[in-house]
Amino acid sequence: MRRKISLFAAIAVLLLSACKSSSNDPQPSMNHEPVLTTTAQVILNTYQDLSQKAAKLQETTVLLRQVPIEAHLELARQAWREARSPWEQSEGFLFGPVDQEGLDPSLDSWPVNVSDLQAVLNSSHTITVEFLQQQEGTLKGFHTIEYLLWGEDGKKTVADFSDREFEYLEACAGALAQDAARLYELWSPEGGNYISNVINAGKGSKVYVSQKAALEEIVSALGVIADEVANGKINEPFSQKDLTLEESRFSANSKNDFANNMRSIQNIYLGQYEGEGDTANSLSALVSSLDASLDTRLKEHIQKAIDDIEAIPGTFSEAVFSHRAEVQKAQQSVRDLQDLIEGEVLPLINSIK
Amino acid sequence: MKILSTVRFLIASVGISLAACHSSVEPQENNWTYAGGETTVFSTGPDAYTLPLANLNKDGLQKHLEADAMFAQQFVTEPAERFGGLGPIFNQNACESCHIRNGKSAVPAYSGDPSSGLLLRLGTESSEELPGFGNQLQTKAVFGFTPEGKISIEEREKIVRFADGMETKIRELQYGIQDSYIPLPASTRISPRMAQAVYGLGLLEAVPEEEILALADENDRNGDGISGRPNWVWDKQQQSIRLGRFGWKAAQPSALQQSAAAAHNDMGLSNPLFPEENCTGQNNCGGDEKMDISNEELELFTFYFQTLGVPAPRNQNSNKVKQGRLLFFEARCNACHVPTLHTGPHPIRELAYQTIHPYTDLLLHDMGEDLADHRPEGKASGREWRTPPLWGIGLTQVVNPQATFLHDGRARTIEEAILWHGGEAEYSKQFYMKLPKSEREKLLAFVESL
């Protein structure tokens, strides 16, 4: 369901770049390498966290299979939520290896291919990480694990599990851990070193011909996730009053998904992950140096979006029917944030040299 | 709310604003920049192929965004709450899985690599169908069904020597089929096909047949060694023979039929133009009579790529690029990679009556033995290929660093692609090979600027 471009970003880019493409502006160029370095480091740290949390999730599924008790099921569910958090906090930058190497579908496909999942469970095929890595994303990743841990109605108990489901779950968490590790490795300077393409934008980067091009990609991606949350993830189940369109409904984790998507924007903008980062050389610092009021408003908008999402009472599934005003308020805050990113921040970035 | 209304105003006025930009800043001699006419987009980054037509109106933009989500949507096995209909055999489960960021795919990294967007067309020397397999190898199946086979790949390099004595290596790929679900007939012919970039197809669809046919020179009356033949194919919607324009052999007459064929062949989605499953007639086939996607959904897929903008060329004022352009003409590359075409009427009015620079004639040319697949398609022989457009080519590896060139992805660089040209393009290749290095670099710089 993920879009590649959102409406306002499209217009902003088109309007501005069309007009600027052949003008000769004498404005001197600034060096944005420190900002790019800070941003790239946030990305790397997010993926490192994802990789570690996914490995933990795998451990809990092994334990659950060995000793299937309710406490272990709860541990696995908690580990799923904890791994889900950095993933959702990475959706503000769905470019690079996650996109090019097919890792996004492998980690986070939706919907789950329930028919094939049942067919695999009913078969005598040995379920291993290798087997799952040959299957489509809709048979693995976060949502298949979620479906197995919570069940269709979210009320599954250990007694409801078949041995085959435990086997599937363990392999599926193994595949997720493998993909998460690979994603981190591809960005890491010791591995695929994709990070260097961002840091060295305009200075030999194979991907970005200029620092501005890299900054545009980064800011556009922030707008894309805001659009996705407001107009996809929230809007589709909400406007159609149809929970089959709600992405994390089995685990009732949707509100966390939305809030963490907003934190993804916040992390990139402030240049920190889990409170650590070179905030003096953040995107926020760059925006602030050009338009201090915009910087303040953007920070406020991000926080308001997070607060309004978290203020929705109960689960999102319930709120779609019972707390529509609160959902609408949160949706509007995310739309306002999107408009600010695409209507003001992106044009500002577009105007720099 | 204030910001929102400002942006809404921007949407409303976008057409006017762009028109204003054009007249005020565009130097007359530099109109090559507007590769897609008023639809041209100006991103140079990895999102370069993902922007909607610059002149698309507000309703069109809304529809384009809806279509964008469909293009990314993964399909699953029936019965399903949502997005069912995949398979039973297929190549990938979402459009975007092959058309990475709307651009090209990579060749398989190893034999059996499930992630590549390269596919094999199948047939015999005299037929577009291979008994038991149909016209395409589906390498995946929903659980419980067997893929038709896996693609094997082998790589070789050969050395090419330029007139100045310098050498370079070009890559050759040998594709085959392994683990086929039934034995392969001895008569099997394989035609490897790389998923192509999807932008600009709306514009190419809008070029009137007469303009393309005027470029054809089937019997080489002008004696330049270059023929240019139209492919004539069956249009399932209009129920008539029409000029083929899309695909590596110009086998599809319209954007709609192109996307319907892809949905049918590549994803197993039966649809109004291709109502059967892609495995019909095989013993490894299931599925029901139900149409997997509706006409509206098919039109939405199609609208998405019809309304993708074409990226503007870059560095058009650099001397190297300017000199490279002259060499491109001197080498007669432009005989097939025709720089300028014009669009006529089109239901999407933003596409209509534009002067565009796609660098293609949309015609078939004999490209020589090295590139031949020996599998005919429509009127196209086993040695003929449709001239691929060059607009946006320089951004191929910015969009997907793993992407490569030519129908089977063998060329890792644009230079390698040039060096594989033969047949009607032999003169151009020889011209290139006789150039000194500095001149070769200029020609490459020009192609890469597109």
Side-chain angles (χ1 to χ4, degrees), chain A residues 1-5 7-8 11 14 18-19 95 99-100 109 113 115-116 119 136 207 242 244 249 339, chain B residues 4 7 11 18 21 41 50 61 65 68 72-74 77 79 81-82 93 96 101-102 140 143 304 401:
Chain A
M1 292 286 274
R2 185 165 57 83
R3 297 174 177 141
K4 289 173 291 294
I5 184 79
L7 178 62
F8 299 139
I11 292 164
L14 299 175
C19 292
F95 53 80
D99 193 27
Q100 291 152 1
S109 273
N113 194 333
S115 290
D116 274 12
E136 294 306 295
V207 179
D242 181 351
T244 65
R249 77 172 194 275
D339 289 344
Chain B
L4 204 63
V7 181
I11 299 171
L18 275 171
C21 294
V41 296
T50 66
L61 272 170
L65 292 177
D68 189 353
Q73 182 61 51
Q74 300 191 64
T77 313
E81 284 175 342
R82 293 268 163 193
N93 68 356
E96 212 175 53
R101 283 189 158 196
N102 300 343
K140 293 182 179 181
F143 194 77
Y304 178 63

Side-chain angles (χ1 to χ4, degrees), chain B residues 16 49 71 89 132 151 159 162 164 188 249 260 266 281 287 290 294 299 301 343 358 366 385 394 415 447:
Chain B
I16 302 161
Y49 300 161
F71 202 77
I89 51 173
I151 301 174
I159 291 170
F162 295 103
D164 64 10
T188 304
K249 294 221 183 205
D266 306 350
K290 186 173 161 282
S294 67
E299 278 177 4
F301 279 123
T343 69
D366 180 334
W385 299 96
E415 178 171 77
V447 177

Side-chain angles (χ1 to χ4, degrees), chain B residues 3 8-9 23 78 85 147 150 201 206 251 256 260 277 279 302 306 324 344 405 436:
Chain B
I3 298 160
R8 301 256 182 258
F9 168 74
S23 55
E78 291 282 5
K150 300 265 162 68
L201 271 60
L256 185 76
E277 293 293 349
C279 52
T302 311
Q306 282 174 319
F405 305 93

